[in-house]
Amino acid sequence: MQKHPNLRMTRQRQVILEELRKVNTHPSADEVYEMVRKRLPRISLGTVYRNLEILSESGDIKKLEPGCSLKRFDGNPSEHCHIRCVRCDRIADAPLAPDIEIDVAGLMPADYKIIGHRLEFFGVCPNCSDKTNRDANRR
Amino acid sequence: MQKHPNLRMTRQRQVILEELRKVNTHPSADEVYEMVRKRLPRISLGTVYRNLEILSESGDIKKLEPGCSLKRFDGNPSEHCHIRCVRCDRIADAPLAPDIEIDVAGLMPADYKIIGHRLEFFGVCPNCSDKTNRDANRR
DNA sequence: TTTGCTGCAAATCCTTTGCAGAGGT
DNA sequence: ACCTCTGCAAAGGATTTGCAGCAAA
């Protein structure tokens, strides 16, 4: 019942996966494109998008769909939470995978099938905090 | 320190707010546009976008930024969770505002200022479930 | 050899923006 | 009268898609 029954491990797909596993920065499609381009200068952005989609459907990576802005991708497909910086929209791993095993089934709207939930934290990253401080001192 | 110090309650802004408060469907900007157009046929989509932005900044409505897809708007600005249908992307209210007063401060990455968190549920809405059942029976 | 994949470029979708005139306050 | 807001239309950014040739299996 897979969408892509006969996947091929092309050089492009391989490199995208490798580069994504190297970092913990949760890059956007465009950032992945820039990373991969250093090794495969002729790769196209369209190919990057297609492969990120395929790799996330196969479970090798995870597509993050943070509140707002653009999608980001995580080379670590295991279950964990994220923190999004409200200033720069970058994403960091949250060092906990809280088991909010909330017993919500009965509380949800009738006949709504609950599949899961997602807990996202937001805040200000160290980098953006610094910027604020610098700006404040300047006045 | 408001972004919009001298707001005016124009007819367009008024109607957008009224229509949004009538429903609990969390419409997208385009859906709001269709709703409002019945009363103000000459309103433009740009005006709808601008007012949704302004109204959410003033706290009269809430901008939802669900994982994936387009933004949606909630006429009820009080704190509550949502359920998103993974098939049609529509959003319903979750009848609980879980107080996950998780004591996470110490667990988060050092020097990351945590502002808050967001809990989103996802599942399949009644409407899409029905569709699946109908399709299954057809075979 | 088969057929999934690629690069390219155009298209699409959602949202934002510049502008000159209209309309709240 | 002031100055924010509007309608219009064009621009913008992110992502998807059609196509003809390429390359995994």
Side-chain angles (χ1 to χ4, degrees):
Chain A
M1 188 79 157
Q2 270 181 281
K3 251 188 189 172
H4 303 278
N6 301 309
L7 290 180
R8 286 175 189 176
M9 186 48 77
T10 59
R11 181 107 185 90
Q12 288 87 336
R13 187 163 299 160
Q14 181 69 48
V15 172
I16 288 170
L17 186 53
E18 285 173 13
E19 290 301 310
L20 208 42
R21 283 182 172 155
K22 273 188 197 165
V23 299
N24 67 342
T25 52
H26 314 81
S28 64
D30 205 72
E31 286 164 352
V32 172
Y33 175 56
E34 288 307 326
M35 290 157 64
V36 168
R37 219 135 73 103
K38 288 173 189 154
R39 290 173 59 188
L40 303 176
R42 297 194 44 75
I43 198 172
S44 77
L45 183 54
T47 295
V48 172
Y49 270 101
R50 273 184 290 232
N51 278 303
L52 289 171
E53 191 60 35
I54 289 170
L55 287 169
S56 66
E57 276 169 13
S58 68
D60 292 304
I61 67 172
K62 212 157 180 215
K63 197 201 311 191
L64 307 183
E65 298 176 315
C68 84
S69 75
L70 63 184
K71 286 168 190 153
R72 297 185 165 274
F73 297 86
D74 193 339
N76 170 13
S78 68
E79 200 60 46
H80 60 285
C81 292
H82 293 104
I83 314 172
R84 172 168 53 93
C85 177
V86 297
R87 302 262 176 83
C88 67
D89 272 352
R90 273 192 272 265
I91 290 181
D93 289 321
L96 81 167
D99 308 307
I100 324 176
E101 279 318 327
I102 307 170
D103 182 22
V104 287
L107 294 165
M108 290 291 140
D111 53 21
Y112 217 108
K113 276 186 216 148
I114 305 296
I115 293 174
H117 59 260
R118 198 169 53 108
L119 179 59
E120 183 190 33
F121 295 89
F122 40 93
V124 182
C125 74
N127 192 31
C128 290
S129 294
D130 285 356
K131 226 177 271 169
T132 305
N133 292 341
R134 277 201 302 280
D135 290 355
N137 292 338
R138 200 167 292 151
R139 277 177 218 140
Chain B
M1 189 76 158
Q2 273 180 280
K3 251 189 188 172
H4 305 277
N6 302 310
L7 289 181
R8 287 173 189 178
M9 187 48 77
T10 59
R11 180 109 187 88
Q12 289 87 336
R13 188 164 299 161
Q14 182 68 49
V15 172
I16 289 170
L17 187 53
E18 284 173 15
E19 291 301 311
L20 207 42
R21 282 182 173 156
K22 274 188 198 163
V23 299
N24 67 343
T25 52
H26 313 81
S28 64
D30 205 72
E31 286 163 352
V32 172
Y33 175 56
E34 289 306 327
M35 291 157 62
V36 169
R37 220 134 74 102
K38 288 171 189 157
R39 292 174 58 188
L40 302 175
R42 297 193 45 75
I43 198 172
S44 76
L45 183 55
T47 296
V48 171
Y49 270 102
R50 274 183 290 232
N51 278 303
L52 289 171
E53 190 60 35
I54 289 171
L55 288 169
S56 68
E57 275 170 14
S58 68
D60 292 303
I61 66 172
K62 214 165 179 206
K63 196 198 317 189
L64 308 183
E65 297 176 316
C68 83
S69 77
L70 63 186
K71 286 169 188 152
R72 295 182 166 275
F73 297 86
D74 194 339
N76 169 13
S78 69
E79 200 61 45
H80 60 285
C81 293
H82 293 104
I83 315 172
R84 171 169 53 94
C85 177
V86 296
R87 301 262 176 84
C88 67
D89 272 351
R90 275 191 271 265
I91 289 182
D93 288 322
L96 80 168
D99 308 309
I100 324 175
E101 280 316 330
I102 306 169
D103 181 23
V104 287
L107 295 165
M108 291 291 141
D111 53 22
Y112 218 107
K113 277 185 215 149
I114 304 296
I115 294 174
H117 58 260
R118 196 170 55 112
L119 179 59
E120 183 190 32
F121 295 90
F122 40 95
V124 183
C125 74
N127 192 31
C128 289
S129 295
D130 286 355
K131 227 176 272 171
T132 306
N133 293 340
R134 277 202 302 282
D135 290 354
N137 292 336
R138 199 166 293 152
R139 280 178 215 139

